[in-house]
Amino acid sequence: MNLDRVSAGKGVPNDCNVIIEIPMHGDPIKYEVDKETGAVRVEHYLIAYDVGRAVNPMLVEGQLVGGFAQGLGGALLEEFAFDANGQPLAASFMDYLLPTSEEVPDIEVLITEDAPSPINPLGVKGAGEGGTAAVGGAIANAVADALGVEVTQLPLSPQRVIELASA
């Protein structure tokens, strides 16, 4: 469906109300990529996010930081791998890697309330997914910049980074 037509109210069935609302979000990142070991280390991460209205700013910050940790796992560690018979290679948390406090860097959160939502009386927008959504792209772009290659697949395991570095 053409989003320009939807946002203009054209091409939408009569019984549907379509509202497209995108929170403003930006994630600057400070990182280190070791080309020899394939290690990617995020040293500092800034989440700047407009939530419309932050009813409970401490809760919003917690959602964003928790979402970052989830996104970091997806970007660097977590992979659904299967053997030739279709059996999972990571059937427990011993094999399936998740980020720990060692991998999660200092995270700075900037919550703004510059654009309240017009579709609810409080002006609030979603926040939890904001911490997760941009992490993979931010880290992939950082690695692409460091190595001078295009990153097309996550997670960026050490083996995958070494392969990219030698490409």
Side-chain angles (χ1 to χ4, degrees):
M1 184 175 279
N2 182 330
L3 289 181
D4 291 334
R5 290 175 49 86
V6 170
S7 63
K10 300 173 187 166
V12 180
N14 290 336
D15 60 347
C16 290
N17 290 323
V18 176
I19 298 171
I20 299 173
E21 182 177 358
I22 302 171
M24 294 178 283
H25 183 192
D27 288 17
I29 179 175
K30 182 179 177 186
Y31 61 94
E32 181 180 313
V33 177
D34 186 324
K35 295 177 184 180
E36 291 182 19
T37 67
V40 176
R41 178 169 173 77
V42 178
E43 297 175 357
H44 186 83
Y45 199 89
L46 168 67
I47 300 171
Y49 204 80
D50 186 308
V51 296
R53 292 284 178 248
V55 175
N56 183 334
M58 190 165 42
L59 180 61
V60 171
E61 183 173 341
Q63 287 180 307
L64 292 170
V65 170
F68 167 83
Q70 181 182 1
L72 180 70
L76 298 179
L77 303 169
E78 301 173 34
E79 185 166 20
F80 296 112
F82 301 90
D83 67 16
N85 296 320
Q87 295 299 313
L89 295 175
S92 74
F93 288 128
M94 292 294 293
D95 303 314
Y96 188 81
L97 301 176
L98 296 170
T100 66
S101 59
E102 180 66 26
E103 290 84 26
V104 178
D106 291 330
I107 301 170
E108 186 176 348
V109 177
L110 173 64
I111 298 169
T112 65
E113 300 176 291
D114 297 329
S117 172
I119 63 170
N120 65 69
L122 295 176
V124 298
K125 300 177 189 174
E129 69 282 351
T132 305
V135 178
I139 292 175
N141 283 331
V143 170
D145 183 58
L147 301 179
V149 298
E150 183 179 12
V151 174
T152 60
Q153 186 177 0
L154 296 176
L156 287 164
S157 64
Q159 178 181 349
R160 191 163 288 142
V161 172
I162 290 171
E163 290 169 3
L164 288 169
S166 62

